[in-house]
Amino acid sequence: MASDMNDYFNKKKSESGGFNNSNSGGNSGPKGPQMPNMNFNFGGSKAALLYFIIAVVVVLILAKPFTIIQEGERGILSTNGRYQDQALLPGLHFIIPVIQKVYVVDTKVRIINYASHLEVTSRASGINAKKAITVLDKRGLPVSIELTVQYRLNAQFAAQTISNWGFSWEDKIINPVVRDVVRNVIGKYDAESLPMIRNKVATEIEDGIRASIDSLKNKPVLLQSIQLRDIILPQKVKEQIERVQIAKQEVQKAQQEVARAKQEALKKAAQAKGVADQARIEAQGKADAITINADAQAKANLLISKSLTKQLLELQQMKVQSGFNDALRVNKDAKIFLTPGGSTPNIWVDMKDAKQRTTAK
């Protein structure tokens, strides 16, 4: 093609008498426009192939007919505005430029903090901050609830969730359900009773949120945890609760003092009873000892009396009389008073002793 174009320009040059050269003086014909000698030879098929490859690379860079899905993400493929039912898994995926487009959604755990003091966060970090939920109690008093909700997009139905709820699915699913359940639960109780039934309230809120979200079609959200962080009561209710707590503490203190006094009284009564029991036991022991000794003596006397016979008494009297006779041999001045019947012992009086002689008179 390049050689044909060169032949064409050479033919035109010959028909016009050639291009005039300002340095030549032999040609006096009319001067025509000077045309540069253009060479359209591209150096063969290798250069054409190189240009083609460069063009393809440029098109790929500009059109980007592929996408890469990271772990913890899913890709929603849109073809002419219509979402594909199945989400794209992590990895490399090729698409048709202009016709197809991929929207990347996050399936990692995300958090919504309902707090009185908002912290600066971003959706990219997976943490969303919202104001504490203010609802009315059973009597119409305002109560603020602080919650932390952990959840994640159900990767299995990510495409259907985006198709039904859009990319703002968190604000359409999580937030309305949480606020509605908290309103229903807190509305059943009085504000001052909430701190005492905190665990019960937390359980009811979690069960209500799970039941509401799990009942949605295709279960778009998987709840990880729901934590009740704080129950903020009105200032008047706080003061009333404090007064009640102080009164309860005073009552408990008085009850403890009464119980302590009762313990002391019981202790003293037990000690007195112990002393009385001990004295009674000792007296009973002494009386029992006397009774036992008396019984023993009586039994002994009974045995002795049963053993005495007339012959034994006469023998004993004879022994005493013999003793007196022996004594009179030694002391002739002695006098003996005999008692008949032997009921009392005979009395020996030594008349030599002045005291005994006086007593005998």
Side-chain angles (χ1 to χ4, degrees), residues 31 44 93-94 121 124 141 152 159 207 218 258 301 338 358 361:
K31 296 181 179 180
H93 301 274
F94 290 95
T121 57
L141 296 176
R152 64 192 306 168
D207 293 343
N218 292 332
V258 171
N301 293 337
L338 299 178
T358 302
K361 292 179 178 180

Side-chain angles (χ1 to χ4, degrees), residues 92-312:
L92 176 65
H93 301 274
F94 290 95
I95 60 175
I96 302 174
V98 181
I99 297 177
Q100 292 182 327
K101 188 175 181 179
V102 176
Y103 299 93
V104 178
V105 293
D106 190 356
T107 59
K108 296 187 290 293
V109 175
R110 303 181 67 81
I111 296 175
I112 295 181
N113 283 328
Y114 295 90
S116 301
H117 304 285
L118 297 180
E119 298 178 358
V120 179
T121 57
S122 63
R123 287 184 177 269
S125 65
I127 301 177
N128 190 9
K130 293 185 178 296
K131 292 202 66 172
I133 304 172
T134 300
V135 295
L136 301 179
D137 74 338
K138 188 176 181 180
R139 296 179 300 174
L141 296 176
V143 178
S144 296
I145 303 298
E146 293 188 352
L147 287 172
T148 295
V149 182
Q150 294 183 348
Y151 59 95
R152 64 192 306 168
L153 180 66
N154 191 346
Q156 182 180 358
F157 301 104
Q160 289 89 334
T161 301
I162 299 302
S163 178
N164 294 332
W165 300 92
F167 291 98
S168 59
W169 56 272
E170 295 173 276
D171 295 330
K172 296 178 181 179
I173 298 176
I174 303 295
N175 193 43
V177 169
V178 170
R179 292 184 179 276
D180 185 59
V181 171
V182 171
R183 185 182 303 109
N184 293 336
V185 172
I186 300 301
K188 298 187 301 182
Y189 304 103
D190 296 330
E192 56 266 25
S193 66
L194 292 176
M196 294 180 289
I197 57 174
R198 177 190 177 96
N199 294 336
K200 180 181 179 181
V201 170
T203 301
E204 290 185 9
I205 290 175
E206 180 173 359
D207 293 343
I209 294 174
R210 288 188 182 277
S212 298
I213 291 181
D214 292 345
S215 64
L216 298 175
K217 184 180 179 181
N218 292 332
K219 200 174 181 180
V221 177
L222 301 178
L223 290 173
Q224 304 297 312
S225 68
I226 301 168
Q227 302 169 2
L228 175 60
R229 296 206 319 272
D230 197 6
I231 300 175
I232 303 175
L233 304 177
Q235 186 63 31
K236 292 183 178 179
V237 176
K238 289 183 179 179
E239 293 175 356
Q240 181 179 353
I241 292 176
E242 289 178 358
R243 289 194 296 269
V244 172
Q245 291 295 333
I246 292 174
K248 287 184 178 179
Q249 291 176 358
E250 293 295 333
V251 172
Q252 292 177 354
K253 183 178 180 181
Q255 291 176 347
Q256 291 176 355
E257 291 178 354
V258 171
R260 188 180 300 109
K262 287 183 178 180
Q263 291 294 332
E264 291 294 332
L266 291 174
K267 182 178 179 181
K268 291 180 179 179
Q271 291 176 348
K273 186 176 182 300
V275 172
D277 290 343
Q278 182 179 2
R280 185 174 60 255
I281 292 171
E282 291 178 354
Q284 186 66 37
K286 292 179 179 179
D288 292 344
I290 294 173
T291 301
I292 292 172
N293 291 332
D295 291 342
Q297 187 65 37
K299 289 179 181 180
N301 293 337
L302 181 61
L303 292 175
I304 293 172
S305 65
K306 288 181 179 181
S307 65
L308 294 176
T309 62
K310 183 178 181 181
Q311 292 79 4
L312 182 60

